[in-house]
Structures are given as C-alpha cells and as structure tokens.
Amino acid sequence: MSYGGKVTRSVSSTIALGDLDSSSSEIEFSDYGPFDVTLQYLKNGNIVHEGHQSIGISASEYNLAPLSASFPVVLYSLSFWDISASSAGTTIPSIVMLDRPSAYNWNSLPSGMYGLPYLTHEENASSSSYQAFADYVAALYKINPKAKFNLYINDITCSLIHRMIYANKIPAGQYSIRLLSDGSATYVFTNEAFDVKDPDSKQAELIALWNAAKNKEYETGEVSKSYSDYHDHWDSMYAVLSIEPGTQWWMTRTNLFTSGDDNAFANKIASDPNVKKMNVSCMLTSLQNRGEYTVQAFKALYNFNDGYFDAATQQGKKVMMLLGTYVTYEQNFDDYANLTEVIYGDDYLYYYKGHPNTPTGMYPQKQEQLDRLGITDVDSSVAAELILFFNPKIGLSGYGSSTYNSASADAAGGLWNSTKSEALKPGAAIDYSIMDWFASPITEDSDAAIRSLCKQGDSCYLVEFSDAILASANYDFAIYSHNSGALTYYKKSESGYDVVKVSRGSLDVLATSHVSNDGWQSASKGGNTSGTVGQSKAVEAITLNLQNAPYDGSLEYRTHVSDYGWQDYVEEGEVSGTTGQSKSVQAIQIRLTGEMANRYDVYYRVHVQDKGWLGWTCNDQVAGTTGFGLRLEAYQVVLVEKGSPAPGDTNQPSIQRTFSIKAHVSNLGWQEPVYEGMTAGTTGRNLAVEALTIGKPDLGFSGNIEYRAHVQNIGWQKWVKNGKVAGTTGKSLAVEAVEIKLTGDLAKHYDVVYRAHVQNKGWLDWVKSGERAGTTGEALHMEALEVRLVDKK
C-alpha cells in the first residue's frame, strides 16, 4: 500500500506450488485499503512469470477515530470494546490516528484496532495527518461504495466532518457521527457562542452556514475554505446534532452550559436526548466486567500518564494529586497546597484535580492561582477512578471527596479543612480512616492552648496525624503558619508544648513562559528549564514567583523584546514581555529586593537561537542577546545563598549590541554600522572620517548619548544626540576630534569611553564622558573611532 509516493504497508508470502492443496492460497494483508499486488512465479530462484493487479481489502463497516487532545481518547479507548462488534456479531474495524500519538502504545493495539494505514507504523507513533486520514476514507469508500462509516471525533474539531464525510461524498445513511467532549473547552466554546440575546437565531445561522458548505462539498468534492482547518467552527458543535440526525454528543457533565437568554437555550442543550452523559467510572466498571484479559489489553494500549503526569515521569518524581471541590468553596487553597508541599517536599510533583462541575478551564482565576503555585491542572472531566486505575499508588490530598473511598491507604495523604474528629465521626459516608493527616484553621473556637501557639495576626492551621503515625512519632501535632510558611511540630509535656522540629517548603523560583505557537506553559521550578530547547520556538513573555521566602523581599525582572527593546521592571507574578503579538524575548534581567537580596543571589542563564546555552549570570545582569534579532528560547533560574558559587559556567552570559556607530569616510561615503567596541572608519588608508552618527544605547534607561565633532575649517559644532549626524558630508571636510557624553539615568549607570585613530599618530589614549578624543589646531584628520559603555558598578 502506498500514499504520497511512499510505501506505508507491505506484506509478502512465498509458497511452493507443490504444497498447494487447491488452486488457491490465502495471504493475510493485516490492514484494510488499496494494495498493489505483484505475483511472481519462480523456478530455481529465477522469475519465469510476473503479473500485477490492484485489489482492495474491505469491510462492510468502519469506526473512524482521528482524535485530538486527551479526554476524547479516554472516552474512545474505554468504549472501544463496546463499539467493535455489529448487532450481527461481526467485527467492526477501528481506524485510529491521534494528534498526541504518545497516548497509545502502538505495538500493543488490541485486535480490531488499526493505525492509519496511509501512515507508516513509525509515523503513526509520532505524527498525524488529517488529510491522509480523509484520503484513506475516500479509498475505503471507493473500494466498497456500500460501506458504512462511524466517525468519532473531538467535538471542537467538528469541522472534520466536512473533510472526512462530505468532501468524500459519502451518502446519508452510510455514516454516523459521535462528538467526544474535549473537556472544559466543550463548555467554554459553546457558552461563548450562545452568549447572545437570541441563541436560537445564532443556532439557525450556524446551521445555514454549515449546510451551505455541506451542499457545495457534495457537489465539488472539495472542502470549503471556511471549514478546512480542523478547529474551524467549533461554535457549531451543537448545530451538528440538528444537521445530522442520530449524531450523539458524549460528555461527563450536561449542567455546565450557559446562554444569553437566561440559560433557556442552555437547558435545551442539556436536555437534548442526543447529548449523552457518559460516566467514566461506569465505563471503567463495564470494562473490568469483561474480564482480566480486556483490562490488561486496555492497560497495554493506553499511556494514561503520558497525557497527564508526563512531567513527573520525566523527572523521576512521585505524583501528589490535590483534590479540589467547587472553585467557589475552596477555602484557603493556597495555604493548604503550600502545607502539603512542606510535608511531602520535592520528591513529588503537584497536580490539581478540580470538581467536574467547576472545571478549571472555565475559571481563569483558578488557572492563574495554579500557575502561581506551580501546580499542574488535570482535566476535571477525567474521573478520579480512572486516574487511580492507572496509578493505584498516587498520592492524594485535598478537600473532602468520595474519591477516597476508591483509594488505598498508601495513596491517602492529607484531608483539608477538617479536624480529625470531624472526619472520623461514626456513620460518615466517606471512609477517611486511611488519611495520614488532617488540617483545619485555628479559630477563636479552637482550644486556647493551641491558639496560644499561633502568633497574633498570623493565620494558622492545626495539623493532626493518624493514630498509625502517632504510634511511632515523637510529636503529637503540628501548626502551620501562613505568614512564615513554617510547619512546627509539638510534643505535649508537663510544662506545655515543646517544639520537636520545624519544616519549611523549599525556597524556589517558579518560572512560567508564554511560548510561540504553544501559549502559556506549565510552571517550572528547581532550576528546571522554562521554554523549549530544540524546537525553534520563542519565549514571548515570562512570569516569575518566589516560593517560601524565609525573609522579606521579592523578585523584580524585565525583558528585552524584539522591536520594542527593554521593558520596564515588573514585580513577581506580573507578565513581562508580550502575548498575541509574535514578539520574541531576547534577553532578561532578574533581581531580588529587600532582605532576600542581602541573603541570596539569583542566578539565571538563557538558551538563545543559534547560540545554545549562554553562561550563568546573576543579580540584575543581562542574560541573552540584544541587537542581533535572536530569539530567547528557554531559561533557568536558581537561588543560592549570598556569595555561594554559581551553578555553572559563567562565561559569556550575554552578547549585546547596545548601540551602533556609522562613519562617513572620504572617498567611501557612509559605511555599514558597527557596534560598541568595534572600529568605525578605517586605519592604514589615510582616509578621513567626515561625519558620524551614534545610536541611543538600548539599555532600558532614560537619557541620551550626545556628541559633537570638531571639523576642519569650522571648529566645534553644536551637540547632537541619538543617531543625528555630527560633521559634514559632501564638503570634503575632515572631523579632527569628538566629544561624547551620556545624560539622564544612562549617565548614572554608565560611563562612555572612547578613543580616536588620528592621522600620523595612530590610536590615542582612551578618554571618557565629554573629554576630547582626537586633536585640534594640528590640521590632523581623525581616521577611526571606537566607543564603549562601562558599567559604573
């Protein structure tokens, strides 16, 4: 089988004619679709006859699954064994392609599931092509014009129906459609589409547009331009149910839709019989009821962790999943999350699993909170039971949840916002006896002796431990301080409570990057890379946050952005750079403030286009490049105690062109610009500089660079600045000397130093900040100039 000029499938078989027990022989082709067959007769190893024929391997019905994202793959994978047989009991082959192919083990596809044959086996495991999938569907339909096609797609890629079905002219009655929820995006995009006064009119408009394109595609066999991208018209998900009778829309929640008519239209969506509420827990139970063979086949197929916990896997860390509740009910989330990290430390990466009724994608402020804390969101549509199915030893902490009824004692961590006695009261519907600890706010109603251990004005939490832990521990309880981030363990004594130990979360910098084509990435910390390496993608904006600082102070930082130069400093948590403008960050500066600056150094280094990793630098020095148009692709940030060694090589942390100089030379005219420290003009040719310009230094400070020239027959000219011409052109008058100075904040931070190459004298000594370079009264022309800036520090 070939596609795009390349063989994608190949099978062969050899049989001795004497072994044939009939006039025919069977060959297993292993895939469906069009094959070119070569038949050779050989005698003594030589071909004596050869024939060629095109044949098609066909089924009467297919399941087509060109899937994107994570949750649609969950739904399809769990339902595969239920949809792989017809009502007559015959097998329905499933043709699968994933735009996130690492979600499957492609060498462990279960019987009846096939990778897209128009891609090689290697390509299926590493890439995807919707056009190849559509062309393959066309080939299957050509082989068997009576075949039926069941299309399973991510709901937000509903425009694929145009490419897969309509443009291939598959008749009505020979196809069915299942839209599989993308997760939060299902509700975000649908609610956005129908946030209008008359949603029914909007629905009618979407249906009309869709049908117009559909009719044209059946006529021409070409996909309409407005539906050609797989993400076009994701506002039409619900419209498909009206356009294509029998279409089903699978999702886990139907109560998250809203509309601009006081939710009347949203209620219509929720009550539509073709909007199917899928319970992942029940789907998982159904799968398990098929027996251990099917369970093992499912586990062999699906790389669950690849889509959700891949960062933990890559870093060799354990997973701690924080169970949320309704976003609006999540009291003191920051404190509880920090407390959990103090207890479990850096051996874990931390993930958040919100309540299905308040998915993070619908609450931007929740996502911002998670980013700030360095916690990765897990799609709330994914049932916790499925997560535990693949990760029985995952760590669980968080607010009260029935999920703990499915967890093992090894998985259970801490229960938030509950005292031990409340959690373990008899008759409770949820068994919290497996929990290791219980945290609750210390209030005016708390025991006076406990309350006295909390400093006035501080917000504190009582941490109680399970009986199993207390049986071998040398402490009785602990108190977590919001203000200091410290967890203090106490042991009751005759005189009161003695401090046993104090734990703190690790001091760290949380770095988040907005990357071209990818958007905002998950936060990184511990000196790990933020951004990308080897993908030729630019960091476009950054945010930095200081975690668990033991002293007063914070981070400030700024970025040098293409076309804009240096931006103003921002405080931690704020965005530096740009988004939505395709402007790359080229350099960064980071500094500490307050007592933190006295106690620690902040080191950082950057990965630059065509340069790779530059050296480490620290404390407000420039890392990256300026003046070269090179994108910054990644960076790392670490804190060390004041005066400690750098984390690595400090050679060349930056490559800067802060300003340019142009010289107009006799007989040559204007030369190409050179940059600080380079020679403007000529040496050894007895040619005079007649004019020059010096650009304003790109250092992010106010102020100017000003300069004036002493010209043959004219004398000293007036001062000019920032790229204006000093000297003359077209008059054959030589510049004999120059003076250069800085003003404003530039002058507070830098000195300008420079030297002149003069006729008959060569290079003169360096001078600085308004002093004369060159000669006057000697009729000697200046032939070249070098200029540098020197940091006053």
Side-chain angles (χ1 to χ4, degrees):
M1 187 186 300
S2 299
Y3 178 73
K6 176 171 54 181
V7 174
T8 59
R9 295 290 187 275
S10 180
V11 295
S12 63
S13 178
T14 302
I15 188 168
L17 294 179
D19 293 339
L20 288 174
D21 54 10
S22 68
S23 60
S24 65
S25 177
E26 291 187 359
I27 297 177
E28 174 57 58
F29 280 80
S30 301
D31 284 280
Y32 295 89
F35 284 86
D36 293 321
V37 177
T38 299
L39 177 63
Q40 297 174 333
Y41 290 87
L42 293 90
K43 185 173 183 178
N44 298 325
N46 299 314
I47 299 173
V48 297
H49 180 73
E50 184 172 281
H52 301 275
Q53 184 177 351
S54 295
I55 67 169
I57 307 299
S58 176
S60 60
E61 188 173 358
Y62 303 92
N63 292 328
L64 308 175
L67 295 171
S68 62
S70 295
F71 192 57
V73 179
V74 170
L75 290 176
Y76 185 80
S77 303
L78 282 171
S79 64
F80 168 75
W81 283 268
D82 295 324
I83 63 175
S84 294
S86 68
S87 56
T90 57
T91 297
I92 303 174
S94 287
I95 313 300
V96 178
M97 181 188 75
L98 307 183
D99 80 344
R100 193 177 294 167
S102 54
Y104 273 0
N105 290 311
W106 292 89
N107 293 325
S108 300
L109 299 183
S111 176
M113 183 181 287
Y114 304 84
L116 175 63
Y118 270 11
L119 299 179
T120 66
H121 293 297
E122 293 76 16
E123 287 171 335
N124 271 299
S126 62
S127 62
S128 60
S129 169
Y130 289 113
Q131 186 57 56
F133 203 104
D135 291 342
Y136 177 70
V137 174
L140 293 179
Y141 177 58
K142 183 178 180 181
I143 293 169
N144 182 3
K146 294 184 179 181
K148 182 180 180 183
F149 300 89
N150 307 311
L151 182 61
Y152 294 80
I153 53 175
N154 183 332
D155 55 6
I156 69 172
T157 66
C158 58
S159 62
L160 284 176
I161 299 169
H162 291 260
R163 185 176 297 277
M164 303 292 170
I165 304 296
Y166 306 154
N168 283 327
K169 299 186 177 182
I170 297 174
Q174 287 184 228
Y175 64 84
S176 68
I177 297 166
R178 301 290 182 269
L179 302 178
L180 313 185
S181 172
D182 185 82
S184 335
T186 294
Y187 312 106
V188 171
F189 295 136
T190 302
N191 296 349
E192 183 180 88
F194 294 110
D195 186 20
V196 294
K197 290 183 178 179
D198 189 355
D200 287 294
S201 294
K202 178 63 178 289
Q203 172 80 334
E205 176 188 337
L206 294 172
I207 291 172
L209 288 170
W210 184 286
N211 280 329
K214 174 183 176 180
N215 294 335
K216 185 177 180 181
E217 288 158 355
Y218 269 108
E219 179 183 338
T220 65
E222 298 289 335
V223 181
S224 299
K225 185 177 180 180
S226 59
Y227 291 87
S228 60
D229 186 85
Y230 70 102
H231 272 159
D232 284 336
H233 287 280
W234 50 28
D235 55 1
S236 300
M237 291 179 274
Y238 183 56
V240 175
L241 273 63
S242 296
I243 297 163
E244 299 294 347
T247 295
Q248 293 182 3
W249 194 4
W250 295 2
M251 63 191 68
T252 57
R253 286 286 188 280
T254 60
N255 61 333
L256 300 180
F257 293 110
T258 60
S259 55
D261 59 349
D262 199 24
N263 293 335
F265 190 82
N267 293 334
K268 183 192 297 186
I269 298 176
S271 60
D272 191 310
N274 287 319
V275 175
K276 301 294 184 180
K277 186 175 181 180
M278 311 296 285
N279 187 305
V280 172
S281 179
C282 291
M283 295 174 76
L284 189 58
T285 299
S286 175
L287 181 82
Q288 292 170 315
N289 289 339
R290 288 180 173 272
E292 187 61 23
Y293 179 83
T294 303
V295 169
Q296 292 306 316
F298 177 59
K299 286 185 173 181
L301 167 69
Y302 189 42
N303 287 330
F304 178 83
N305 286 4
D306 178 80
Y308 295 100
F309 304 129
D310 50 344
T313 302
Q314 291 167 10
Q315 296 180 37
K317 296 191 175 185
K318 303 174 188 176
V319 172
M320 174 60 69
M321 192 164 69
L322 308 180
L323 296 178
T325 181
Y326 287 80
V327 167
T328 51
Y329 295 164
E330 289 184 345
Q331 299 177 25
N332 309 312
F333 181 89
D334 281 42
D335 287 337
Y336 286 129
N338 288 330
L339 163 61
T340 305
E341 189 164 348
V342 170
I343 291 176
Y344 295 106
D346 291 335
D347 290 339
Y348 288 80
L349 283 189
Y350 296 85
Y351 295 81
Y352 170 78
K353 168 71 169 64
H355 193 283
N357 273 330
T358 54
T360 302
M362 298 178 69
Y363 293 85
Q365 72 276 16
K366 184 64 189 181
Q367 186 61 64
E368 291 171 5
Q369 181 186 45
L370 296 177
D371 290 343
R372 174 170 44 78
L373 294 170
I375 299 170
T376 303
D377 183 57
V378 174
D379 193 330
S380 63
S381 301
V382 180
E385 289 80 3
L386 181 63
I387 297 173
L388 291 172
F389 177 80
F390 281 97
N391 298 272
K393 295 184 179 180
I394 193 174
L396 290 179
S397 295
Y399 299 101
S401 170
S402 59
T403 298
Y404 293 111
N405 284 336
S406 304
S408 67
D410 290 338
L415 181 64
W416 299 351
N417 217 42
S418 175
T419 64
K420 183 176 178 180
S421 60
E422 289 171 344
L424 301 181
K425 62 185 177 184
I430 301 173
D431 181 10
Y432 291 122
S433 63
I434 61 173
M435 306 307 294
D436 286 338
W437 52 272
F438 309 82
S440 58
I442 295 176
T443 67
E444 290 299 319
D445 296 329
S446 301
D447 179 87
I450 297 293
R451 200 167 64 241
S452 67
L453 300 174
C454 182
K455 291 182 180 179
Q456 189 172 2
D458 196 357
S459 296
C460 298
Y461 298 82
L462 174 64
V463 182
E464 303 169 278
F465 298 93
S466 68
D467 291 345
I469 288 178
L470 292 177
S472 58
N474 63 341
Y475 50 81
D476 294 324
F477 63 91
I479 291 179
Y480 176 72
S481 163
H482 162 86
N483 288 8
S484 68
L487 180 64
T488 305
Y489 293 79
Y490 291 93
K491 178 76 174 178
K492 187 175 178 58
S493 67
E494 294 181 359
S495 58
Y497 297 105
D498 297 332
V499 174
V500 175
K501 63 177 180 177
V502 178
S503 298
R504 290 182 181 273
S506 300
L507 172 62
D508 214 335
V509 175
L510 201 65
T512 309
S513 296
H514 188 280
V515 174
S516 57
N517 300 327
D518 291 349
W520 285 107
Q521 294 183 317
S522 297
S524 64
K525 59 182 179 178
N528 288 311
T529 299
S530 184
T532 62
V533 174
Q535 299 185 40
S536 299
K537 295 179 179 179
V539 171
E540 297 178 337
I542 69 172
T543 66
L544 301 176
N545 283 280
L546 203 57
Q547 282 196 314
N548 301 311
Y551 305 102
D552 291 336
S554 63
L555 284 170
E556 295 179 342
Y557 46 95
R558 66 173 180 168
T559 53
H560 186 280
V561 177
S562 58
D563 298 333
Y564 294 154
W566 285 107
Q567 296 191 318
D568 292 336
Y569 281 92
V570 299
E571 296 181 352
E572 65 177 76
E574 296 179 345
V575 174
S576 181
T578 62
T579 60
Q581 299 185 43
S582 298
K583 304 291 186 186
S584 62
V585 170
Q586 298 174 339
I588 59 175
Q589 289 177 273
I590 308 172
R591 64 193 184 194
L592 291 163
T593 67
E595 186 62 20
M596 283 297 296
N598 297 326
R599 302 275 187 161
Y600 291 91
D601 294 318
V602 56
Y603 273 92
Y604 42 98
R605 67 169 182 164
V606 301
H607 188 280
V608 174
Q609 171 190 353
D610 299 334
K611 303 290 184 184
W613 285 108
L614 301 186
W616 289 91
T617 190
C618 68
N619 301 343
D620 210 23
Q621 299 301 304
V622 174
T625 66
T626 61
F628 293 89
L630 299 177
R631 63 180 176 267
L632 188 153
E633 298 177 338
Y635 61 98
Q636 297 171 328
V637 187
V638 297
L639 294 174
V640 301
E641 291 186 2
K642 200 72 175 178
S644 296
D649 183 11
T650 58
N651 183 51
Q652 198 180 36
S654 65
I655 308 171
Q656 300 184 71
R657 289 174 173 171
T658 57
F659 61 89
S660 63
I661 309 171
K662 288 179 66 177
H664 187 282
V665 177
S666 59
N667 300 331
L668 298 179
W670 285 109
Q671 294 184 308
E672 290 298 313
V674 297
Y675 299 89
E676 64 169 300
M678 300 171 66
T679 300
T682 63
T683 59
R685 300 176 65 180
N686 197 31
L687 297 176
V689 170
E690 296 178 342
L692 58 90
T693 67
I694 306 176
K696 180 179 178 179
D698 180 18
L699 290 165
F701 295 108
S702 63
N704 304 302
I705 187 164
E706 298 185 357
Y707 45 97
R708 65 174 181 167
H710 188 281
V711 178
Q712 172 189 357
N713 299 335
I714 294 176
W716 285 109
Q717 293 182 312
K718 293 181 178 179
W719 290 91
V720 295
K721 63 183 178 182
N722 301 341
K724 299 295 185 180
V725 175
T728 62
T729 59
K731 297 182 179 182
S732 298
L733 298 177
V735 170
E736 298 175 336
V738 295
E739 294 176 347
I740 309 172
K741 64 183 180 181
L742 300 174
T743 65
D745 282 346
L746 272 171
K748 295 178 182 178
H749 290 86
Y750 292 90
D751 287 317
V752 57
V753 298
Y754 45 101
R755 65 174 179 167
H757 189 280
V758 175
Q759 173 190 4
N760 299 333
K761 291 179 179 284
W763 286 110
L764 302 185
D765 291 338
W766 290 94
V767 298
K768 72 173 184 177
S769 302
E771 297 175 348
R772 186 189 71 194
T775 62
T776 59
E778 298 183 45
L780 297 176
H781 58 253
M782 187 176 77
E783 298 177 343
L785 179 70
E786 290 181 357
V787 185
R788 296 176 180 171
L789 296 186
V790 178
D791 193 324
K792 287 187 173 182
K793 296 178 183 177

